[in-house]
Amino acid sequence: MSRHAYIDLPDGRRLDYEIRSSAKTRSLRLKMTAREGLTVIVPKGINERRVVELVSGKQDWIAAKLNQFDEVRHLLANKASVRPEAFGLPALAESWQVEYRTTRGRTVGARTDQQSRILVYGAVTDDERCKAALRRWLTRRAKETLIPWLGSLVAENGLRFSRVIIKNQRTRWGSCSANDVISLNAKLLFLSPDLVRYVLMHELCHTLERNHTNRFWTLLRQFEPQTDLLHGRMRDAWKQVPAWAHPVQTGREGV
């Protein structure tokens, strides 16, 4: 026997979900897939109101899963990407031309050749290696710019962090650990400056409030009055990232 309910998420989305009773389970269990959405498996006899309350407590997890599914659908749609001849980094108001030059060696590297030009060199007939080299360059550029940017926000607002890690991630723009280590996605450079600042402030506020509670959002709004507007814009921010910038496999790429 199954029933249906819905949950209103913090970003304004409403998600319908199915409640399934099972004699084999002793505790509430959430199952979420891109195809079937959210299914809540509960012990027989549990009060439906109690189920709704427990699911409401998982809002952040559910919203994060939905964002991951959106990102995966985007990646699948752009599976066959081409190596770029040029690209822009709106966060820094930069435009870059890319030159490919064959040199001896089986590997491929990328370096800043001169102002506004990147030289990709080596076995450049391999498009996948060229794109991987550009992603490593992107990570280095993000380290050069995002870490000082975060530091300036700390100085302006009296916040703190212990360390910064720059990665090329598929589904997360940033995170903050219990030890105040902030992780930032190198692909933030493809976003507009106001969105980048929002993400940086978001993670800095997590050094004071770990979870997405009402207290967290109140705190963030104190530092960023446009929080609600920017939060909504972040839902489609991944569309601004070119397909070649996504790593082929999940995980960190070498620098």
Side-chain angles (χ1 to χ4, degrees):
M1 180 178 178
S2 65
R3 295 157 286 169
H4 288 84
Y6 67 85
I7 180 174
D8 289 320
L9 299 174
D11 59 11
R13 285 179 289 183
R14 172 169 289 189
L15 177 67
D16 294 315
Y17 62 90
E18 181 182 5
I19 302 174
R20 293 181 186 173
S21 298
S22 172
K24 296 181 179 180
T25 187
R26 295 185 177 181
S27 60
L28 179 141
R29 182 161 60 91
L30 274 63
K31 178 182 177 182
M32 199 162 181
T33 66
R35 177 173 295 180
E36 298 181 0
L38 175 63
T39 302
V40 182
I41 303 170
V42 301
K44 281 191 173 182
I46 189 171
N47 184 278
E48 184 170 333
R49 180 178 295 179
R50 178 59 177 159
V51 174
V52 171
E53 290 176 353
L54 292 171
V55 173
S56 295
K58 299 291 185 179
Q59 288 181 353
D60 292 338
W61 180 84
I62 294 169
K65 282 291 184 181
L66 287 177
N67 290 336
Q68 289 178 12
F69 295 153
D70 286 343
E71 181 74 12
V72 169
R73 281 191 284 269
H74 171 59
L75 291 172
L76 291 176
N78 292 279
K79 191 173 182 180
S81 64
V82 297
R83 68 185 193 183
E85 299 296 327
F87 60 88
L89 299 178
L92 309 175
E94 294 179 351
S95 296
W96 292 91
Q97 298 293 319
V98 184
E99 178 183 332
Y100 298 90
R101 184 182 302 170
T102 300
T103 60
R104 291 184 178 181
R106 299 179 180 179
T107 60
V108 178
R111 61 179 174 84
T112 303
D113 182 44
Q114 59 185 39
Q115 186 176 6
S116 301
R117 188 173 75 179
I118 302 166
L119 175 64
V120 179
Y121 56 91
V124 297
T125 55
D126 189 324
D127 282 1
E128 292 305 318
R129 288 187 179 184
C130 289
K131 289 183 286 186
L134 285 170
R135 290 192 292 268
R136 294 193 296 272
W137 178 92
L138 180 70
T139 299
R140 294 195 298 270
R141 187 67 184 135
K143 287 181 179 179
E144 295 169 353
T145 56
L146 292 180
I147 294 176
W149 195 341
L150 189 69
S152 67
L153 291 177
V154 166
E156 291 172 11
N157 298 285
L159 297 172
R160 69 179 189 278
F161 66 88
S162 63
R163 190 161 60 95
V164 186
I165 300 173
I166 305 295
K167 299 179 180 180
N168 189 340
Q169 298 171 291
R170 285 179 173 240
T171 58
R172 303 185 75 176
W173 292 111
S175 63
C176 180
S177 74
N179 296 323
D180 296 339
V181 176
I182 291 179
S183 175
L184 298 173
N185 195 327
K187 293 194 286 286
L188 283 168
L189 297 185
F190 291 108
L191 306 189
S192 60
D194 57 344
L195 288 181
V196 177
R197 184 184 184 281
Y198 167 77
V199 172
L200 300 187
M201 290 304 309
H202 185 113
E203 301 310 331
L204 285 172
C205 285
H206 274 312
T207 64
L208 301 177
E209 291 288 342
R210 299 297 177 190
N211 301 310
H212 291 113
T213 61
N214 288 335
R215 287 193 304 178
F216 168 81
W217 293 109
T218 298
L219 176 67
L220 181 54
R221 289 185 186 102
Q222 292 175 5
F223 293 106
E224 177 48 74
Q226 297 298 314
T227 284
D228 296 328
L229 174 63
L230 295 170
H231 183 71
R233 286 172 56 196
M234 286 301 301
R235 285 187 296 176
D236 291 329
W238 54 265
K239 294 179 181 178
Q240 301 173 43
V241 180
W244 64 263
H246 294 289
V248 175
Q249 296 180 342
T250 303
R252 181 182 178 183
E253 294 196 336
V255 297

